[in-house]
Each structure stands twice: as C-alpha cells, then as structure tokens.
Amino acid sequence: MRRLLLLALPLAAAFSAHAQTRRATDPLAVAPTAQGEVALNNGDYVLLSLGTVRYTGEDQSGQGLAAVAYEHFWTPNWSWGGRVLANWSTGAGRGGLLTPEVLLRHRSAVGPLTFGQRLSAERRIEVGVVTSGGSGSSNDQNWGRLRFDLEKIIPLGGADAATGPALRPRLAFEAATHLRLQKADTDPSERFIQYTSLRAEAGVRTSARFDFTPWFAYGTDYLVTLPQRDSKGNQTAGGNLNAVRPTLGLDVRFTFGPGRDKAGRQPLPTQH
C-alpha cells in the first residue's frame, strides 16, 4: 500500500498541470481553531474542534467550522477513524456543508523523521441550500483525499517525547478529487485533481495538557471555467484556472482524559 500511495503523488501533480492554465491568487485567509482532545487509556482519542476562516479581501466574508472525530489504533503504526465536519457561511450567503468522512492512517519512522499517510473518503452534503424546487440538498458529492506528511518531535530539556514539552515541525501535502462513478452529459467538465494543499507548521507542546501550532498553507483549486471566444472562434478567456488561496492559521489544543499522561502515547498533529 505504501508504494501505491507514493506513486499517487507525482501522478496527481502531472494530471493537475496544463499548458494553457490561468492563475488567480486570492487575498490571505486567517484560520484560528480551538481543539479539545480526549485521550483514552487504549491510545484512541476523541477530538472536538471549533474554528473560523476569515477572508481578508474586499467582501470580508468567512466561514465557521465545527468537527467531531474519533480514531482507533489497532497497531502502533496503523489507525482508522471517522470525522463529521460542518462548515457554514458567516457572511451574507446562506447554507453550508455537512461532511462525514472515514479515514485510514499509517505512520512510521524514516530515519529521524515520522512519515505519515492518510487516505480518506467523504460525502459532502449541502445544508440549507435553496433551489427552484424549495430548500434541501442540491449538489451532494463524494470526494477522496490523500495526504502525506513528514514531521519530527524534538523534546525540550530531556522530557518524554510523547508527553513532555517539545517542538514539532511538520510539512504536509494533500490532494483531493471528486469521485464520480458515471458522468452524465450535463455534468460540468473537471480536471483529474480538483484541490491540493501544501502546509508548513511549527507545533509547540508545553505539556501533555496543552499545545499550539501556527501554520501556513498554500491551497489551490483546479477549476474548468467556461471558454470565451472572439468572432473568429479563437479562445480569449476561460478554460483551466488555478485559484490559489494562501491561509495563515493557529491551532490551539487542550488535551484531557485518562490516557493523556500515558508514556508512549501518539499525539497526532492538530491537522486531523
């Protein structure tokens, strides 16, 4: 499985590129998040999070985010779990998304680093969307996600690597694609990969009870826009568009539960 996941990364980059792609960069977004993790005796955990994303452009719009997740470790390297994420508009728009997700994760040592792989499938359900026929879901979608990350936990002052004060630099890359078993003639054109994100962070754990992680992410939506042509039929605009959104974030996590101080526990990154 590891080899298959590693092969997917260059394939994703190759399919996302296009010779005549336009590029647009949005203003910086700011994303603070508070998390509460309940660590269980068997190494499993429950994670609650609440946050917001604020866009710094002219419209000053934003989103609210709330999630609950559970993850089970059946070996020190393998885990699986689920998450339900809700996000909603905090601006003039209405409606939002409810996204249940199931995931499989593998983590292993690569020299002094920890290499992680996360594969997931999710269902995006539109909530509160008003259509011509009334209110309800209008464009529910299935998505697949694949993430790779490299990190290193650096204990401070000879502390325990699992529970004591430490620094946690980390770099992660994620790609997502819309999963469609069949494409109808009326469905819009899509590129093979619709979204990627490159995230760099520097976690700081002050104790087994508290840590915070400032991070910066460079996300890109890979879109296909309607072509525009001149009187001779030559395309003047439209086509493939890479919409880039840089995001500056801060995750603050409080850890509770009977397994919080257990030696050898695997505290996962704040990017669930």
Side-chain angles (χ1 to χ4, degrees):
M1 177 178 176
R2 184 183 303 179
R3 293 182 180 178
L4 291 176
L5 296 182
L6 288 172
L7 287 173
L9 183 58
L11 285 175
F15 278 105
S16 297
H18 194 276
Q20 296 181 341
T21 297
R22 294 181 300 118
R23 177 188 177 90
T25 302
D26 291 340
L28 180 71
V30 180
T33 301
Q35 299 181 349
E37 178 179 335
V38 181
L40 306 179
N41 272 327
N42 62 353
D44 297 357
Y45 73 90
V46 177
L47 182 67
L48 307 173
S49 62
L50 182 65
T52 183
V53 179
R54 191 73 181 178
Y55 307 119
T56 60
E58 295 179 358
D59 61 355
Q60 295 291 306
S61 62
Q63 295 183 58
L65 304 170
V68 57
Y70 171 79
E71 193 150 348
H72 169 69
F73 291 84
W74 76 82
T75 74
N77 301 107
W78 287 94
S79 62
W80 69 272
R83 180 180 69 161
V84 178
L85 169 68
N87 64 305
W88 59 93
S89 172
T90 59
R94 292 293 183 267
L97 288 175
L98 185 66
T99 308
E101 177 189 39
V102 293
L103 67 96
L104 177 67
R105 192 192 308 267
H106 180 265
R107 289 161 56 81
S108 60
V110 179
L113 305 176
T114 298
F115 175 59
Q117 302 166 86
R118 181 187 188 275
L119 180 65
S120 70
E122 64 185 38
R123 174 75 170 174
R124 297 183 183 179
I125 304 169
E126 291 190 346
V127 179
V129 176
V130 178
T131 66
S132 58
S135 62
S137 298
S138 63
N139 192 29
D140 298 349
Q141 296 179 344
N142 298 314
W143 283 71
R145 291 182 176 272
L146 178 61
R147 182 193 302 163
F148 303 98
D149 61 76
L150 279 173
E151 66 173 330
K152 180 175 177 59
I153 298 179
I154 306 172
L156 298 178
D160 182 87
T163 59
L167 299 179
R168 189 172 195 164
R170 176 174 173 269
L171 185 66
F173 175 82
E174 184 174 64
T177 186
H178 180 198
L179 302 175
R180 294 190 292 188
L181 298 179
Q182 282 188 318
K183 180 181 176 182
D185 293 337
T186 56
D187 288 343
S189 297
E190 291 182 333
R191 294 157 75 178
F192 180 75
I193 296 295
Q194 281 83 54
Y195 176 78
T196 61
S197 175
L198 181 63
R199 168 168 161 155
E201 61 185 48
V204 180
R205 187 173 64 215
T206 61
S207 68
R209 297 169 176 81
F210 178 76
D211 61 279
F212 64 94
T213 303
W215 56 269
F216 178 79
Y218 199 75
T220 305
D221 289 300
Y222 299 94
L223 309 173
V224 179
T225 60
L226 292 175
Q228 302 177 26
R229 304 182 184 277
D230 59 20
S231 58
K232 297 182 179 179
N234 299 317
Q235 183 173 332
T236 58
N240 287 358
L241 172 65
N242 292 356
V244 178
R245 174 165 288 161
T247 304
L248 181 64
L250 175 64
D251 296 339
V252 176
R253 178 168 58 186
F254 299 88
T255 303
F256 311 92
R260 178 183 60 191
D261 299 308
K262 187 175 181 180
R265 188 176 83 87
Q266 285 199 56
L268 291 176
T270 57
Q271 184 188 19
H272 178 262

